[in-house]
Amino acid sequence: MIELVDVHVGYGRTSVVHGATVDVPRDGVAAVMGHNGAGKTTLLRAAVGLLKVTSGRVLLDGEDVTRLRPHERVARGLAYVPQGQQCFPQLTTAENLYLVADTRRNGKRLVAEALDLFPALREAMSRKAGLLSGGQRQQLAIARALITEPRLLILDEPTEGIQPSVVSEIEETILNLTTRGGLSVLLVEQHVGFALAAASRYYVLEAGRITSSGEGGTGAQDEVRAAMAI
């Protein structure tokens, strides 16, 4: 689905990611793990097009999109949920959803499907998003992204600051979405258990370099923890 091939990227003259190669399988999940400052978010921003790579390539379904702008990548089926439970806090949950859905041909159906995935949002439709819990705001952010009907969903630390019960719901939703087909996920996550449970492939990023990779699944926890020295 998406391949980052020997990607070098950074900020100004400061190089952050050094020759990273990550392959997200079609209808599967690839997890990128690592400590704070390892370059995970920088790598995602390169995938989205928010940062220009200094060398290397970004391939989407085999097409070289390295020089395409973010909106052009979105038009090809990419959706990005950054860190921080992004939403419009002064708008209600419903307004946040329909702000995206009104641009889609089947907007009402897409909202209904998103609410089926995250039923806790049904009870908060009239509440301002800024008053939601962290878990609800994260669910709202993912729901908004899914309403765009992406083929590739990029998630940056979706469990950060989220209560364990909601973490389980998000994990289950991701697994269900990829199981039914039509969606690939690139996941950046520090929580090893969650990441490996969801991922079919994992990568460990340290100091901007891929230091370990392999098949996902909970059986890989020891190897990943050793690679991360935790």
Side-chain angles (χ1 to χ4, degrees):
M1 166 52 73
I2 191 170
E3 295 178 76
L4 307 173
V5 183
D6 195 25
V7 165
H8 294 252
V9 63
Y11 301 88
R13 295 183 179 180
T14 303
S15 181
V16 176
V17 175
H18 317 283
T21 295
V22 172
D23 184 6
V24 182
R26 182 176 299 279
D27 298 342
V29 180
V32 178
M33 293 168 282
H35 298 295
N36 288 333
K40 304 185 302 297
T41 294
T42 300
L43 184 66
L44 291 194
R45 289 172 64 84
V48 176
L50 295 172
L51 287 175
K52 292 183 179 180
V53 303
T54 53
S55 66
R57 295 186 300 159
V58 181
L59 305 177
L60 188 60
D61 269 345
E63 177 189 3
D64 191 334
V65 298
T66 310
R67 302 304 169 194
L68 294 187
R69 296 178 179 180
H71 73 273
E72 294 173 310
R73 301 187 196 195
V74 169
R76 285 162 170 75
L78 185 153
Y80 176 46
V81 180
Q83 284 179 286
Q85 303 143 22
Q86 300 289 322
C87 64
F88 294 100
Q90 295 304 315
L91 299 181
T92 65
T93 298
E95 290 168 337
N96 267 274
L97 294 173
Y98 279 101
L99 189 64
V100 180
D102 285 346
T103 67
R104 313 298 297 183
R105 180 179 300 178
N106 301 310
K108 288 185 178 181
R109 174 181 62 80
L110 294 169
V111 169
E113 290 177 356
L115 293 175
D116 286 340
L117 292 170
F118 298 112
L121 295 179
R122 290 187 186 278
E123 301 174 1
M125 290 292 277
S126 61
R127 191 180 309 166
K128 286 189 176 181
L131 300 178
L132 300 178
S133 69
Q136 289 172 321
R137 287 196 303 273
Q138 187 64 281
Q139 290 177 325
L140 177 58
I142 297 173
R144 282 164 46 88
L146 291 173
I147 286 173
T148 67
E149 299 181 283
R151 294 184 296 123
L152 172 67
L153 178 63
I154 298 180
L155 300 173
D156 192 357
E157 301 280 11
T159 68
E160 183 181 36
I162 305 299
Q163 57 267 41
S165 61
V166 179
V167 170
S168 298
E169 291 177 14
I170 292 173
E171 178 184 334
E172 183 178 354
T173 299
I174 292 171
L175 289 171
N176 287 340
L177 287 169
T178 55
T179 298
R180 73 187 189 187
L183 181 68
S184 301
V185 177
L186 175 55
L187 169 70
V188 154
E189 183 57 58
Q190 286 198 60
H191 295 289
V192 172
F194 165 75
L196 291 178
S200 49
R201 187 154 189 83
Y202 76 84
Y203 299 85
V204 176
L205 189 67
E206 293 296 333
R209 302 181 189 277
I210 301 293
T211 58
S212 180
S213 64
E215 294 185 2
T218 55
Q221 285 200 39
D222 290 344
E223 181 178 349
V224 170
R225 291 184 184 280
M228 295 176 63
I230 57 175

